[in-house]
Amino acid sequence: MNGLLEKIENEILRAKKFKFETKKIDIQRDKLAYMIDHTLLSPDATSAQISKLCDEAVKYGFYSVCVNPFRVPEAFDNLKGSKVKIASVVSFPFGAVPTKIKTEETKWVIEHGADEVDMVINIGMLKDSEYDEVYDDVKSVVESARGKTVKVIIETALLNFEEKVAACVISKESGAHFVKTSTGYSKGGAVAEDVALMRFVVGEKMGVKASGGIHSYDDALRMISAGANRIGASKSVEIIGGARNEFPGSKNI
């Protein structure tokens, strides 16, 4: 992409002036629930566990369930008639496959009922500063998703400051809808400072999803106060159970 390197370099200079500040917030339980992608990506997850995941998403009002690709049709059947969306992962958890594989996987999950795609960026290519190639990789997934929401997992735990900024710029320029902190399968998960930096770089019109190691209401609040507008979590029920206000219709969460 013409001018991509210049945009990245300029954004790195701008981001170096960024200062992280903590903010105190509170959020109603139903609103928090609607910000959560209720997630089960374990390779040993069973059909019964997927069914339970979907039932919980409907019961508590989570925004979506996030499942591995081959579980998408099953989730689609489980969630028929509900408002819960289906997210699936592409090139998970490493991002280290050819672009064509990512695009075919994207097409498959969309065709079988996914509303959103969480793709893993090619981390090695990013660290080699092959920015145009990373852009093409993300752009190809965005185009293959045909208007469906695409979140780009940048795996912040593996990136330095400049690489985090570059990944955000590339994701934004590619037309992706979200940047996302982590797969949850690397050496670290979501960190509030990273979330805030991502929000600073992508601005207010793009989404920021915090995922990886978010286990409690306080964890979720910390990420939201830093700038996240979506949370990915497997401990979703525990997270909303820590909220102060009662969930509508449920007295014993």
Side-chain angles (χ1 to χ4, degrees):
M1 175 187 174
N2 290 336
L4 182 60
L5 178 59
E6 183 179 358
K7 288 181 180 180
I8 290 171
E9 290 175 342
N10 288 339
E11 193 58 37
I12 289 171
L13 290 174
R14 189 178 79 93
K16 285 182 176 179
K17 300 175 183 178
F18 167 73
K19 292 183 179 180
F20 174 68
E21 296 179 359
T22 58
K23 293 177 285 186
K24 188 174 181 179
I25 65 166
D26 200 357
I27 187 168
Q28 292 183 347
R29 188 178 297 183
D30 56 348
K31 184 176 180 181
L32 174 59
Y34 196 63
M35 297 175 73
I36 293 175
D37 291 342
H38 192 32
T39 302
L40 180 55
L41 296 170
S42 300
D44 58 346
T46 65
S47 181
Q49 289 173 317
I50 296 298
S51 179
K52 180 183 178 186
L53 184 85
C54 294
D55 289 345
E56 289 173 341
V58 173
K59 177 180 180 180
Y60 298 113
F62 297 130
Y63 185 84
S64 78
V65 297
C66 186
V67 297
N68 281 310
F70 91 104
R71 293 294 189 186
V72 168
E74 190 175 345
F76 183 81
D77 288 340
N78 276 305
L79 292 168
K80 278 182 180 176
S82 79
K83 295 181 180 180
V84 179
K85 296 188 180 297
I86 299 168
S88 192
V89 289
V90 163
S91 193
F92 189 87
F94 301 123
V97 300
T99 299
K100 183 171 177 55
I101 304 299
K102 290 184 179 181
T103 60
E104 291 303 315
E105 192 172 16
T106 299
K107 292 174 185 176
W108 193 93
V109 297
I110 295 297
E111 287 170 0
H112 287 81
D115 302 290
E116 303 191 343
V117 170
D118 291 29
M119 68 161 288
V120 185
I121 204 166
N122 191 314
I123 302 162
M125 205 150 59
L126 177 70
K127 295 184 81 69
D128 283 336
S129 300
E130 297 178 6
Y131 299 139
D132 287 333
E133 290 80 359
V134 178
Y135 170 85
D136 290 341
D137 188 62
V138 178
K139 183 69 172 177
S140 293
V141 170
V142 171
E143 291 174 347
S144 297
R146 298 178 181 178
K148 300 290 187 179
T149 296
V150 174
K151 310 185 198 89
V152 182
I153 307 172
I154 68 174
E155 203 69 279
T156 51
L158 300 181
L159 306 180
N160 62 31
F161 176 86
E162 289 79 8
E163 290 161 350
K164 292 170 190 174
V165 174
C168 289
V169 172
I170 291 169
S171 299
K172 183 177 181 179
E173 293 297 319
S174 72
H177 305 88
F178 279 78
V179 283
K180 175 178 170 182
T181 58
S182 323
T183 61
Y185 285 83
S186 188
K187 63 182 182 180
V191 177
E193 288 84 351
D194 287 337
V195 171
L197 174 64
M198 293 160 71
R199 172 57 68 200
F200 178 82
V201 174
V202 303
E204 295 301 321
K205 293 183 179 180
M206 191 173 180
V208 175
K209 178 176 174 180
S211 64
I214 302 171
H215 297 149
S216 69
Y217 175 68
D218 288 340
D219 290 341
L221 280 192
R222 191 157 47 248
M223 299 305 159
I224 294 167
S225 68
N229 59 320
R230 192 80 67 85
I231 299 292
S234 59
K235 301 291 185 182
S236 313
V237 176
E238 291 87 341
I239 288 171
I240 63 167
R244 296 174 188 170
N245 55 307
E246 292 297 329
F247 188 89
S250 299
K251 297 298 182 183
N252 297 310
I253 298 174

